C-alpha cells in the first residue's frame, strides 16, 4: 500500500460542485460530522474507466443521508456526472472512488437542522484491499457485536457505525490476522469489518440474513451470479458453532471484491472451485465481459 498520506497527493477532488487541488480540500475543525459521526459515504471501484454499479452507490448514498435526516445538495444524476468526471480527470482506468457527504460547521451541538450539507468525491489507484488476497485471508473473532436494528441504522453507510469496525480490525491485526469476523447482538455471524461473508457447504452457499448490517451491493451481485450458475444460496441465521462445518469461505465488498478466507479463529477453509468460479464471474462482470444476471 502506498505510504503517501492522503492529504499530500497530486490531483483534484470534486467538492461541492467544483474541482479543487487535492491538498486544498479542507474542512473546518468545528465541522458537525467530525464530532458526531454523521458523515455518509460510499466506497466504489472503477474498472477500465467505468464505475461498477455507480448509480446504485449514488442511490445508497442518498438513502444513507435520508436515514440520517438530511438531504444531499446534489441529485443522483448530478452525482453520477460528477463521479464520471472525477474518473475521467484522474486518468485512471482502475480506481477506488470515495464519495462522502457531511454536515458543515454552522452549528455545533447535536441539533444541526440548518447546517449545510457538503459532498465530495475523490478517486485514487488502489489495488487489492488485502495484501495476501489470493492466498486467502485469516480472520479472528471480533469482541464488538453488530448492534440491533433498533440501536443503529444498519442500512445507512454512516461514518459513526465504523467506530467498532476499526477497533475490531486493529485488535485483529495486532493478533496477526487480516481482519475480524463480527457477530451480531444475538451471537449470530454477521460480517467482516468492511465486507459481507459467504460459506460453502456441499454444493450450497450460506450467508447471514442482512437484518442488522449492510446488505452490500457486492453481496447482492454475488448472490445473483451464484443463482445464474444454479448454485443454491441460503440466506439465514448462522451461529458460530457452524464454522467447523463449512468447506469454503469468502468475503465480499466493493473494496474487497471477492476475497477468499482460509481461516477463521482456528477453523480452516480451502478456497476451491466455487470461490474461484465466482471470483472469475465477478471479474468478468465488473469489466463488462458478461452481463449482469437477471
Ligand atoms: N459491510 C460493511 C460494514 C462495509 O463497510 C461494506 C463495504 N461498503 C460492505 C459490507 C460491503 O458493501 P458493498 O458490497 O456495497 O461495498
Amino acid at each position: 500500500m502506498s505510504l503517501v498520506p492522503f492529504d499530500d497527493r497530486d490531483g483534484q477532488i470534486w467538492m461541492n460542485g467544483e474541482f479543487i487541488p487535492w491538498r486544498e480540500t479542507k474542512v473546518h475543525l468545528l465541522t458537525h460530522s467530525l464530532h458526531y459521526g454523521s458523515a455518509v459515504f460510499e466506497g466504489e471501484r472503477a474498472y477500465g474507466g467505468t464505475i461498477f454499479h455507480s448509480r446504485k452507490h449514488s442511490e445508497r448514498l442518498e438513502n444513507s443521508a435520508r436515514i440520517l435526516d438530511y438531504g444531499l445538495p446534489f441529485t443522483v444524476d448530478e452525482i453520477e456526472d460528477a463521479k464520471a468526471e472525477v474518473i475521467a480527470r484522474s486518468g485512471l482506468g482502475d480506481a477506488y472512488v470515495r464519495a462522502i457527504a457531511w454536515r458543515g460547521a454552522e452549528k455545533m451541538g447535536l441539533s444541526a437542522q440548518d447546517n449545510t450539507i457538503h459532498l465530495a468525491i475523490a478517486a485514487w489507484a488502489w489495488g487489492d484491499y488485502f495484501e495476501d488476497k489470493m492466498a486467502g485471508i485469516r480472520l479472528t473473532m471480533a469482541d464488538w457485536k453488530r448492534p440491533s436494528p433498533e440501536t443503529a441504522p444498519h442500512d445507512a453507510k454512516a461514518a459513526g457505525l465504523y467506530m467498532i469496525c476499526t477497533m475490531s480490525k486493529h485488535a485483529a491485526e495486532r493478533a496477526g490476522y487480516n481482519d475480524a469476523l463480527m457477530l451480531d447482538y444475538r451471537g449470530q455471524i454477521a460480517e467482516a469489518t468492511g465486507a459481507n461473508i459467504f460459506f460453502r457447504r456441499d454444493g450450497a452457499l450460506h450467508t447471514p440474513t442482512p437484518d442488522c448490517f449492510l446488505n452490500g451491493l457486492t453481496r447482492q451481485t454475488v448472490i445473483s451470479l451464484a443463482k445464474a450458475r444454479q448454485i443454491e444460496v441460503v440466506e439465514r441465521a448462522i451461529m458460530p458453532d457452524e464454522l467447523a462445518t463449512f468447506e469454503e469461505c469468502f468475503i465480499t465488498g466493493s473494496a474487497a471484491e471477492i476475497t477468499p478466507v482460509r481461516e477463521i479463529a482456528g477453523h480452516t477453509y480451502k478456497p476451491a472451485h466455487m470461490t474461484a468460479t465466482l471470483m472469475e464471474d465477478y471479474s468478468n462482470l465488473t469489466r463488462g465481459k458478461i452481463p449482469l444476471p437477471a
Side-chain angles (χ1 to χ4, degrees):
M1 208 175 279
S2 169
L3 294 176
V4 183
F6 273 96
D7 58 359
D8 191 17
R9 294 183 175 199
D10 296 330
Q12 294 182 320
I13 291 177
W14 184 98
M15 195 162 164
N16 293 325
E18 326 173 53
F19 280 90
I20 298 182
W22 192 285
R23 293 177 183 80
E24 290 169 27
T25 50
K26 310 264 180 188
V27 292
H28 194 269
L29 172 68
L30 298 177
T31 294
H32 191 275
S33 288
L34 176 63
H35 296 249
Y36 302 112
S38 60
V40 295
F41 66 98
E42 284 299 318
E44 321 179 19
R45 275 189 192 269
Y47 298 88
T50 303
I51 300 174
F52 184 60
H53 280 338
S54 184
R55 179 164 279 271
K56 287 187 180 164
H57 281 287
S58 298
E59 287 169 354
R60 184 168 70 183
L61 186 74
E62 185 179 58
N63 190 47
S64 297
R66 189 188 54 74
I67 293 170
L68 268 71
D69 197 31
Y70 56 95
L72 298 181
F74 297 90
T75 64
V76 166
D77 281 337
E78 287 167 342
I79 299 169
E80 285 302 287
D81 289 346
K83 288 195 301 192
E85 182 69 20
V86 166
I87 291 296
R89 288 200 189 200
S90 76
L92 296 167
D94 292 357
Y96 182 79
V97 181
R98 171 57 54 92
I100 181 161
W102 68 96
R103 288 191 163 108
E106 286 78 9
K107 250 177 119 180
M108 283 296 277
L110 286 177
S111 177
Q113 307 272 4
D114 298 323
N115 283 32
T116 49
I117 305 299
H118 302 260
L119 178 66
I121 302 161
W124 60 89
W126 198 13
D128 290 340
Y129 184 62
F130 293 97
E131 271 171 31
D132 32 6
K133 175 178 176 185
M134 293 319 289
I137 59 164
R138 298 173 59 240
L139 309 183
T140 185
M141 302 305 288
D143 288 335
W144 294 96
K145 307 273 185 284
R146 302 301 311 186
S148 96
E150 292 170 324
T151 307
H154 66 94
D155 282 331
K157 198 167 158 60
L161 302 182
Y162 283 84
M163 185 178 70
I164 56 172
C165 301
T166 295
M167 292 162 83
S168 301
K169 180 124 179 154
H170 280 190
E173 287 176 345
R174 268 196 294 275
Y177 292 85
N178 304 96
D179 203 345
L181 175 62
M182 303 183 80
L183 304 181
D184 71 14
Y185 64 104
R186 296 161 294 203
Q188 299 172 9
I189 291 174
E191 56 170 354
T193 58
N196 295 122
I197 193 156
F198 287 79
F199 302 94
R200 177 184 70 82
R201 189 164 63 208
D202 303 324
L205 276 179
H206 300 256
T207 190
T209 310
D211 57 6
C212 65
F213 56 86
L214 202 67
N215 180 8
L217 296 175
T218 320
R219 178 187 182 280
Q220 296 171 47
T221 302
V222 165
I223 289 174
S224 36
L225 287 171
K227 288 186 173 164
R229 286 196 173 268
Q230 270 78 50
I231 296 168
E232 184 191 359
V233 182
V234 190
E235 294 184 68
R236 63 179 177 88
I238 303 176
M239 297 304 288
D241 60 7
E242 284 192 61
L243 286 173
T245 69
F246 296 120
E247 290 141 318
E248 284 181 76
C249 176
F250 56 83
I251 59 170
T252 65
S254 302
E257 302 172 300
I258 299 177
T259 297
V261 174
R262 69 183 156 95
E263 184 197 327
I264 304 179
H267 301 289
T268 53
Y269 307 99
K270 203 164 169 31
H273 183 64
M274 195 177 289
T275 306
T277 302
L278 291 169
M279 285 174 82
E280 195 182 336
D281 284 355
Y282 188 74
S283 167
N284 285 335
L285 181 65
T286 54
R287 297 194 176 277
K289 292 186 193 157
I290 59 169
L292 188 65

